[in-house]
Amino acid sequence: QQWDMALDTMRWHGVKLDLVSLNSVVSGCEKGQRWQRAQDLVSICMAQLMVVADAISFNSAILACTTSRRWLHGFSLMKLAAQRRVTPQVASFGALLMECEDASPEILSCQQDLLKGSLEAAGLDLYGKTSR
């Protein structure tokens, strides 16, 4: 709710809602552990504002999910990034893996499948090397 007000305030004061300003908001969501707002900004709001999310956008949103222990949402953002041909930083993959460290074997199996699919869609192999 506060981020909605922040965006409205930015508009009111004539701040152009471009990639830089919206990435700042997503980064603020990460630091404030507002994972859902960060996810919404990257997956919906930026598109509505005709702003194309970049690696910084996705990295911040993924880290917001991991710091809030919402790793499954982080993986969905990783998949969305791959679909949009954006390659998140290796640190985002690492943060997701670290978050899943204490997961059950069933969850780990699911996580491995999600990670492999995300990496392949991003054109990387399991070692972070370009596979295309």
Side-chain angles (χ1 to χ4, degrees):
Q1 192 176 26
Q2 291 176 346
W3 289 112
D4 291 330
M5 291 185 339
L7 288 172
D8 288 341
T9 301
M10 291 169 77
R11 282 189 198 113
W12 175 259
H13 289 288
V15 174
K16 183 178 179 188
L17 295 180
D18 60 6
L19 182 61
V20 173
S21 61
L22 289 171
N23 276 348
S24 297
V25 175
V26 175
S27 180
C29 289
E30 172 200 341
K31 289 169 183 41
Q33 295 186 336
R34 303 287 186 203
W35 67 271
Q36 195 168 20
R37 187 64 183 140
Q39 183 179 23
D40 289 347
L41 277 166
V42 170
S43 61
I44 301 166
C45 293
M46 285 187 162
Q48 289 175 347
L49 295 169
M50 307 284 285
V51 175
V52 178
D54 64 1
I56 295 168
S57 315
F58 279 101
N59 287 326
S60 295
I62 290 165
L63 291 175
C65 291
T66 59
T67 57
S68 298
R69 306 191 60 84
R70 304 291 182 168
W71 60 268
L72 193 55
H73 294 278
F75 275 115
S76 84
L77 283 169
M78 194 73 72
K79 185 176 179 179
L80 180 62
Q83 289 170 349
R84 294 186 180 174
R85 303 205 184 279
V86 175
T87 305
Q89 294 175 342
V90 173
S92 295
F93 286 99
L96 284 170
L97 291 174
M98 293 295 292
E99 191 57 39
C100 301
E101 191 173 49
D102 297 325
S104 70
E106 295 82 20
I107 291 174
L108 287 175
S109 175
C110 175
Q111 164 216 346
Q112 287 173 339
D113 292 343
L114 285 168
L115 176 62
K116 186 176 180 196
S118 296
L119 285 169
E120 287 172 355
L124 301 172
D125 65 16
L126 289 173
Y127 303 101
K129 296 179 182 171
T130 303
S131 63
R132 292 184 186 161

